Amino acid sequence: MDPRRVELQKLVDNGSYVVVSRRDDVRRELRKLKDVISEDVETGASTSGGNDGADPLRNRLLCVGVSDGKHTVVIWPWRKTHAPLLNALHRRVRTISMHNGYNFDQIVLARNGVPFEDIEEKLEDTLIGHHTFASHMPQRLSHVSSVFIDASPWKITFKQGTGGASEKGLPPEKLSGEDLCKYNAADARIQAQDWLAMQADLADELDVYAVDKENARLCRSMIIKGIGVDLERRAWLHDEILKKQADLLEKMRKLLRRAHFYPTQLADVRKALFTTLGANIHIADPTDSGLPEYIPDDSRAAQGQSDTCGAFRRPALAMARRSEDRQHLREGENAVHRQAFAENARLRSNALELAVVWGGLGTLLVSFAILPRAEYLKDKSVVLETRTREMYVAPPGYKLVYFDLSQAELRFAAYLSGDHSFIRACESGDVHTATAQLLFPAEAELIGRDPKGAGSLSATSRRTASSGSATTPNRALYSVSCARRGFRSRCET
């Protein structure tokens, strides 16, 4: 017998389920469920053959699985006439758990006539719950289930994935109707069992869990409402960056006398720097082609190199930045849904599976975090490639505000450890500078005078370190001993 079919049968034997579609059948089976249930949705592309990815704002709802851990109901195929029956179930039960529900399932259901506003107090989430007491572990459902219940590798079995990609494989819409319902039933049943099994671990973290759910609700709202995109500004930035990119490319090709030079090809860049222009090489391992692996840094670039090489490096580096900024523009453009608002387009960022204490807002705003901040020239004008944030706008009457708690993780660790030296280092203004002074006591004064590594003092230190004096085994052991003495409590814990 086909091994995959054997595994499928094991899942069926592990818990019965029923597939229903007619309204009377749906109503009858939902009435059999107890008052603590779990729900899971399976979705497909918004159009036949489409490639939406996992997008709760666009995906088509295929089926809904509901389970109390023992009895499992799969509503397939989903029709909007099923929504009133599911809403009635939500009013009756006491608890509705999902896995990553705030970021996906709830949004999908709301688009299909099953709103969440009136049942907020009943909503629970196994991903967020697990994260409160095991944030250092994977949060995917297959891992959570491996901790709390005895479940076979159903993600791999159904989606035909591999051990390295347990959540991947065939998308739900590519499964047969039979396998889709079995897969959905397994998800719903296993989620229900996970929720019941994790209560003992969750009990000590209920306050954290409550805060995490509040953050998840905020992230859900941000996913649905989106962030405004100024289409005219985006188009202008796109065109201007393309013009600047073309100008830089032309300059490099003239310097190299190569009409077909492409700076995005590393082989072309290595050949240009080290063969055509004869750039100095300090320490570099050769590639398979014999050309150096690394481009020399700025502290070595000026040592005996031709003016032509320096003239090439400047537009080459600038060209790389233009390419990155065009990518940011493309990401913003791709995130604006084609059927969305022509005059006030909106960027919607899916926070994936981390609508939790740190990851919720952090993941949602990652698109902004990686965008360059405005840089100014001597004439006070803004560098073009640092203006990409300008295309994102707040609704009328609001402003976009960015803030960041400097070195937050290290500050938390310092006070939790109780190490007074560690605390003083954090409160000195720059814990990295204070740590560097401990690791390299001979250069402590130099490091303190130039903490950010921006001036000539730092360049002198880099040249000293590159000579090898700071990288011998004895020097490394000495630095470790300095760190142990300086941060005694932290090292002992």
Side-chain angles (χ1 to χ4, degrees):
M1 187 176 181
D2 183 353
R4 183 167 174 269
R5 287 293 164 187
V6 173
E7 290 297 326
L8 290 175
Q9 190 59 45
K10 288 181 181 178
L11 284 168
V12 175
D13 294 342
N14 190 40
S16 62
Y17 71 99
V18 59
V19 180
V20 288
S21 180
R22 295 178 59 252
R23 285 173 54 86
D24 290 343
D25 295 337
V26 173
R27 183 182 293 106
R28 181 188 69 249
E29 295 301 328
L30 293 182
R31 285 174 177 170
K32 297 178 182 179
L33 294 166
K34 298 180 180 178
D35 62 352
V36 177
I37 63 170
S38 177
E39 289 183 2
D40 180 72
V41 303
E42 301 301 336
T43 62
S46 57
T47 58
S48 178
N51 186 25
D52 300 338
D55 188 343
L57 295 167
R58 302 184 68 186
N59 289 166
R60 178 168 45 94
L61 181 57
L62 302 177
C63 59
V64 178
V66 191
S67 178
D68 58 13
K70 294 184 178 180
H71 182 58
T72 303
V73 181
V74 177
I75 306 174
W76 177 80
W78 173 263
R79 301 187 182 94
K80 288 192 175 181
T81 53
H82 295 140
L85 304 178
L86 199 55
N87 287 327
L89 173 68
H90 288 173
R91 290 190 293 270
R92 176 176 69 81
V93 300
R94 176 166 52 91
T95 300
I96 308 165
S97 66
M98 302 178 187
H99 192 84
N100 194 34
Y102 288 93
N103 269 0
F104 196 86
D105 301 65
Q106 295 170 25
I107 299 173
V108 172
L109 287 170
R111 288 177 45 238
N112 288 271
V114 186
F116 46 76
E117 289 84 359
D118 294 336
I119 56 170
E120 287 283 14
E121 73 283 356
K122 299 181 179 182
L123 296 176
E124 307 293 352
D125 199 288
T126 51
L127 185 153
I128 299 176
H130 182 256
H131 185 273
T132 60
F133 55 82
S135 59
H136 58 295
M137 300 298 290
Q139 305 303 317
R140 59 183 181 271
L141 181 60
S142 58
H143 173 80
V144 175
S145 301
S146 71
V147 174
F148 290 104
I149 66 174
D150 182 15
S152 62
W154 82 104
K155 294 285 187 182
I156 299 174
T157 301
F158 281 102
K159 290 194 169 184
Q160 301 175 355
T162 62
S166 58
E167 301 280 356
K168 307 298 181 183
L170 288 175
E173 64 202 86
K174 298 294 184 181
L175 297 173
S176 67
E178 179 185 3
D179 284 358
L180 175 66
C181 292
K182 287 180 180 178
Y183 178 72
N184 188 217
D187 269 0
R189 180 176 62 252
I190 289 170
Q191 284 174 195
Q193 295 170 355
D194 285 344
W195 173 250
L196 295 173
M198 69 170 57
Q199 293 307 303
D201 294 279
L202 186 58
D204 294 334
E205 302 290 348
L206 290 178
D207 289 340
V208 175
Y209 178 60
V211 173
D212 288 358
K213 287 206 301 180
E214 183 64 30
N215 285 336
R217 286 190 285 270
L218 174 61
C219 291
R220 182 186 61 195
S221 173
M222 294 176 72
I223 292 171
I224 295 172
K225 293 180 180 179
I227 298 171
V229 177
D230 186 331
L231 295 178
E232 291 185 4
R233 172 63 63 175
R234 186 186 67 191
W236 179 83
L237 284 169
H238 179 270
D239 293 342
E240 291 300 311
I241 287 177
L242 280 179
K243 291 177 184 177
K244 196 165 186 177
Q245 176 178 286
D247 180 61
L248 291 168
L249 181 59
E250 182 181 2
K251 287 181 180 179
M252 285 186 285
R253 286 176 172 175
K254 284 183 178 180
L255 287 168
L256 297 172
R257 298 177 182 177
R258 290 178 57 195
H260 300 290
F261 169 77
Y262 295 99
T264 56
Q265 301 294 322
L266 290 181
D268 276 15
V269 175
R270 293 190 187 106
K271 185 175 181 180
L273 283 171
F274 302 113
T275 301
T276 306
L277 301 176
N280 290 338
I281 306 169
H282 186 71
I283 298 175
D285 295 326
T287 63
D288 293 338
S289 65
L291 291 173
E293 176 70 27
Y294 304 108
I295 295 177
D297 63 32
D298 292 337
S299 66
R300 300 193 297 269
Q303 298 179 19
Q305 294 184 174
S306 66
D307 292 338
T308 306
C309 184
F312 168 79
R313 284 172 52 79
R314 287 188 290 274
L317 294 173
M319 182 75 173
R321 295 192 64 181
R322 294 310 88 69
S323 179
E324 290 178 3
D325 294 316
R326 284 183 60 227
Q327 179 63 28
H328 293 318
L329 284 169
R330 284 196 298 270
E331 290 172 356
E333 183 175 346
N334 291 337
V336 177
H337 304 319
R338 295 296 180 267
Q339 81 277 21
F341 319 96
E343 296 182 357
N344 185 24
R346 311 199 70 78
L347 169 68
R348 296 184 176 93
S349 175
N350 187 0
L352 302 177
E353 63 174 24
L354 284 183
V356 288
V357 61
W358 299 118
L361 287 173
T363 307
L364 188 65
L365 300 181
V366 68
S367 298
F368 293 107
I370 63 176
L371 292 177
R373 298 183 186 181
E375 296 178 12
Y376 296 87
L377 300 173
K378 291 182 179 180
D379 62 0
K380 305 300 182 181
S381 62
V382 184
V383 178
L384 176 65
E385 60 270 20
T386 67
R387 298 182 62 173
T388 48
R389 293 191 181 205
E390 295 178 11
M391 67 181 178
Y392 301 106
V393 294
Y398 292 85
K399 291 183 178 181
L400 292 176
V401 179
Y402 171 83
F403 65 93
D404 180 28
L405 181 60
S406 177
Q407 301 172 351
E409 294 85 353
L410 289 172
R411 291 174 182 269
F412 279 118
Y415 281 95
L416 288 171
S417 72
D419 188 313
H420 297 295
S421 298
F422 192 10
I423 294 172
R424 283 196 300 271
C426 287
E427 299 302 337
S428 66
D430 188 344
V431 66
H432 302 301
T433 297
T435 302
Q437 288 175 316
L438 280 173
L439 292 174
F440 307 103
E443 293 85 13
E445 182 184 358
L446 186 67
I447 295 170
R449 282 189 285 156
D450 189 27
K452 294 298 182 181
S456 59
L457 294 174
S458 178
T460 301
S461 297
R462 288 203 303 271
R463 284 195 292 272
T464 300
S466 67
S467 66
S469 61
T471 56
T472 63
N474 288 337
R475 186 71 172 93
L477 289 173
Y478 175 66
S479 296
V480 171
S481 67
C482 289
R484 291 184 67 87
R485 287 196 301 271
F487 296 141
R488 187 173 301 277
S489 298
R490 180 164 50 147
C491 292
E492 289 176 353
T493 56

